[in-house]
Amino acid sequence: MKKLILSIITLTFLACQGQSVVVNPHELTDNDLTTTYTGTKDLNQIVFDTDFSAPVLSYKIYSSGELPAYDPSQWTLKGSNDGKEWVTVDERSNQTFFSRFQEILCVVQNPQTFKTYKLEASTLSKDTLKIGEVVLSDKNLLAGWEDFNYPNIQFESLSPDTEGSKVYHELVQNPDEYIKFHARKVAEILYYTDKDSINDVRNIKYTLEDKPGVSAKGGNTPNIHIFYSTQHIEKSAKESLFKLDFETRGVLYHELTHGYQYEPKGIGNYGNNKTFWACIEGIADAVRAEAGYFDMSTRKPGGNWMDGYRTTGFFIQWLTTKDPDAIRKFHATVEKMDVWSFDGAIKLVFGPEASIEGMWEEYQTFLKNQ
Ligand SMILES: [Zn+2]
């Protein structure tokens, strides 16, 4: 009831001023980037009226899947306790989204406790506005990662005339920034903060190429090369641009993990040791799963932790249900152990009583009951 009254006060007040306003538009809060809020005014006022009890410390605004011209380019976040007096807590101008379905994360400049927040946003030309999602957080979502050392990106489309290359650019307007963003996100999943001894990826050469396959990483940290197939892009884009984005980000999480992860010691190499291979590919898919870029309904009982890729990756990601830092801790065992093994890693993370067989069995029981 309280919320409703506040909304009515807010609406009435703004209507008196001859301005238009929307309250809690579901397209912006439904955790679905394919539903889009459309505003038509010079200045769109969007009220988030959910009775906040702690100050908003950071927020994310997501571009939609529509053309970049519809993206917000300037906005102000304001707070209020009575729906009448609004105080600016954050202000941004000249903002550019580097891809479709992309967040811009803002750390609030002037945080204060308010019951209600309002976003005032407009496009560069003060025309139709489209936004995918808005997330207001009472945490600073950039905390610990302000000084991340971004890699240098050398992007090149080697097959610019292919349909795949063209649709890639419909999705991604600024490939360098798109890749850099995911580099930090991968590091956030593998490490605790930017002060950790992060495997130093300095230069990433990223190429779109007209050849079969999906994507692959070559070279060795600090200089790596990632290829992404324009044929695979075309296939993924058939369903929707969102589906292509989901796939492109997912593949990028996997390949970038190969740049940022440490390699197991004392057991040979990727080409001649299956445990080494399963560890490397398992962690890469665990990071992708943790980032949210797998359809988790494809998880099925069966297989073995030595199967690599998503069979191993889903298992490692599932360990976060026992310990939220399980992926970071599991990855850290790769650095710590002189002779790496799955069983040794599980014991290091969960204690000497734990074993890979026991943990896998428990995971299988979870899968059967899901
Ligand atoms: Zn891989």
Side-chain angles (χ1 to χ4, degrees):
M1 195 59 191
K2 196 174 157 199
K3 279 184 199 172
L4 184 65
I5 291 166
L6 192 59
S7 302
I8 292 166
I9 292 169
T10 312
L11 273 168
T12 311
F13 171 69
L14 290 161
C16 289
Q17 287 194 322
Q19 296 172 323
S20 93
V21 63
V22 288
V23 181
N24 301 331
H26 70 90
E27 302 93 335
L28 292 184
T29 52
D30 60 358
N31 200 24
D32 180 351
L33 291 175
T34 65
T35 59
T36 301
Y37 163 80
T38 303
T40 53
K41 301 284 172 190
D42 292 354
L43 185 69
N44 294 272
Q45 305 200 38
I46 304 156
V47 173
F48 298 96
D49 172 18
T50 42
D51 256 342
F52 292 88
S53 54
V56 169
L57 297 185
S58 68
Y59 61 100
K60 295 178 184 179
I61 296 183
Y62 285 83
S63 57
S64 70
E66 311 274 344
L67 293 174
Y70 298 124
D71 291 346
S73 121
Q74 54 238 350
W75 60 78
T76 307
L77 185 69
K78 295 178 175 178
S80 178
N81 285 318
D82 59 6
K84 293 177 186 167
E85 197 184 324
W86 293 94
V87 177
T88 298
V89 296
D90 197 71
E91 207 164 357
R92 308 277 160 162
S93 58
N94 301 318
Q95 301 292 306
T96 309
F97 290 81
F98 49 73
S99 80
R100 305 301 80 213
F101 311 109
Q102 176 59 42
E103 69 178 55
I104 288 182
L105 170 60
C106 301
V107 178
V108 172
Q109 294 151 343
N110 179 31
Q112 293 174 54
T113 305
F114 288 112
K115 278 186 195 159
T116 306
Y117 287 86
K118 178 171 71 171
L119 183 71
E120 297 180 347
S122 59
T123 68
L124 194 59
S125 59
K126 306 282 190 289
D127 214 334
T128 303
L129 172 79
K130 289 178 189 282
I131 304 177
E133 197 82 5
V134 173
V135 177
L136 304 178
S137 176
D138 59 7
K139 295 182 182 69
N140 176 354
L141 296 173
L142 196 62
W145 293 93
E146 293 90 342
D147 299 321
F148 178 67
N149 205 359
Y150 287 95
N152 304 308
I153 310 295
Q154 191 195 339
F155 173 89
E156 195 178 356
S157 176
L158 300 182
S159 320
D161 296 329
T162 57
E163 198 48 41
S165 182
K166 284 173 193 163
V167 72
Y168 180 87
H169 289 290
E170 276 172 39
L171 176 68
V172 182
Q173 284 70 52
N174 186 334
D176 289 16
E177 292 301 321
Y178 187 79
I179 296 160
K180 280 185 194 175
F181 168 80
H182 290 91
R184 191 191 84 222
K185 299 305 282 182
V186 164
E188 285 181 23
I189 294 171
L190 286 176
Y191 302 91
Y192 292 90
T193 79
D194 56 26
K195 305 290 178 291
D196 290 354
S197 60
I198 296 174
N199 209 5
D200 188 28
V201 181
R202 271 301 81 230
N203 299 296
I204 301 175
K205 186 176 178 208
Y206 191 94
T207 51
L208 302 185
E209 299 179 41
D210 186 7
K211 61 184 192 190
V214 177
S215 190
K217 170 248 176 192
N220 285 305
T221 304
N223 305 309
I224 64 168
H225 173 206
I226 295 170
F227 124 86
Y228 190 31
S229 161
T230 57
Q231 296 174 17
H232 183 69
I233 294 171
E234 260 169 71
K235 254 179 264 160
S236 307
K238 281 215 169 78
E239 203 172 318
S240 69
L241 195 65
F242 181 74
K243 212 51 208 277
L244 174 63
D245 186 60
F246 191 83
E247 176 67 7
T248 302
R249 290 179 196 268
V251 167
L252 197 46
Y253 270 103
H254 179 105
E255 301 303 343
L256 284 171
T257 299
H258 288 328
Y260 283 96
Q261 71 187 158
Y262 284 108
E263 297 194 333
K265 293 186 289 252
I267 55 167
N269 61 45
Y270 187 90
N272 70 15
N273 183 279
K274 199 181 171 194
T275 301
F276 187 112
W277 166 85
C279 169
I280 289 288
E281 297 299 353
I283 288 176
D285 268 356
V287 169
R288 177 176 177 175
E290 180 68 5
Y293 288 95
F294 269 126
D295 175 0
M296 298 302 270
S297 71
T298 62
R299 290 190 298 185
K300 293 283 177 303
N304 184 278
W305 61 88
M306 287 288 282
D307 289 347
Y309 290 108
R310 64 189 76 180
T311 306
T312 309
F314 285 159
F315 167 66
I316 297 169
Q317 195 276 334
W318 169 81
L319 296 174
T320 62
T321 62
K322 305 175 113 10
D323 177 344
D325 290 323
I327 295 175
R328 296 186 183 98
K329 289 179 180 174
F330 190 89
H331 173 241
T333 67
V334 168
E335 260 290 81
K336 282 180 194 152
M337 293 167 63
D338 292 330
V339 180
W340 194 84
S341 68
F342 275 98
D343 192 54
I346 291 294
K347 285 180 164 56
L348 257 185
V349 177
F350 294 103
E353 303 300 311
S355 70
I356 184 66
E357 288 86 3
M359 206 57 96
W360 182 261
E361 212 169 288
E362 201 179 323
Y363 171 59
Q364 292 302 308
T365 305
F366 159 79
L367 290 175
K368 281 170 198 151
N369 294 333
Q370 71 176 343

